[in-house]
Amino acid sequence: KKSAGHPTHQLLGAPNCCMASLLARVLKTLIGRGSLQHQAWIVVGDAGVDELTLHGTSHVWHVTGYSISRTCVTPSAFGVRPIPYALLPGGDANTNARVFLDIVYGRKKGAARDMVALNAGAVFAMIGKTKCIRDGYAHALSSIKDGSVGRHFDHFRRAFS
């Protein structure tokens, strides 16, 4: 039975490549023992960003119980133009919460929404919902625009409030 407490896949952000490599080795062992999910991706973006980024190169470790592979991707691989990191809004917890809700409910366009869609797209690719991150990115953008992300978020909030 699937459960949020026992995920089958996981996307983790790491602050740097050394930490990502260490996490990959640990997860490979845990997955191989059956202690964790079937697959994990660990990502590091340029400038120590712990997610896939649209402002430079992102490093991705694909981890299973049998192997670790590493790839590097750039925004052009997702069919988007690079976005300067300075254009990403952010700040204190209240500001970040407002940005998040604006993205979820389709009220925000631009760099922040695109970064969220990119990382959601990576999850869609990892779980096999799409063939690749690029397709996952497009699916995530579409899901934000058509309101389904907001509806799912409302359902989640009701279920856990």
Side-chain angles (χ1 to χ4, degrees):
K1 181 179 175 184
K2 290 185 181 181
S3 160
H6 295 91
T8 57
H9 297 75
Q10 191 168 17
L11 177 70
L12 298 168
N16 58 54
C17 291
C18 266
M19 183 61 70
S21 183
L22 175 63
L23 282 169
R25 291 192 307 273
V26 169
L27 287 170
K28 179 178 179 275
T29 299
L30 291 172
I31 294 168
R33 289 183 186 160
S35 302
L36 277 184
Q37 65 276 345
H38 305 297
Q39 183 179 174
W41 287 9
I42 303 162
V43 298
V44 178
D46 271 356
V49 177
D50 61 351
E51 59 189 339
L52 292 174
T53 181
L54 293 174
H55 69 271
T57 302
S58 296
H59 307 271
V60 182
W61 284 256
H62 303 262
V63 184
T64 69
Y66 307 103
S67 67
I68 299 171
S69 61
R70 180 178 169 188
T71 59
C72 295
V73 293
T74 60
S76 63
F78 314 121
V80 297
R81 291 176 299 135
I83 297 170
Y85 185 69
L87 291 181
L88 291 172
D92 63 19
N94 289 331
T95 300
N96 291 342
R98 273 193 310 278
V99 169
F100 171 77
L101 291 173
D102 285 346
I103 291 168
V104 165
Y105 293 113
R107 297 185 300 250
K108 183 145 191 85
K109 296 178 182 170
R113 182 201 63 183
D114 293 347
M115 284 279 284
V116 168
L118 174 60
N119 284 275
V123 173
F124 290 140
M126 180 177 40
I127 66 173
K129 185 165 183 77
T130 61
K131 291 181 184 179
C132 61
I133 297 173
R134 183 182 189 142
D135 292 349
Y137 172 73
H139 178 70
L141 282 176
S142 174
S143 297
I144 291 169
K145 291 175 185 175
D146 73 14
S148 60
V149 172
R151 287 189 299 278
H152 285 289
F153 184 68
D154 287 341
H155 175 75
F156 179 82
R157 280 171 62 168
R158 283 190 303 275
F160 292 98
S161 293

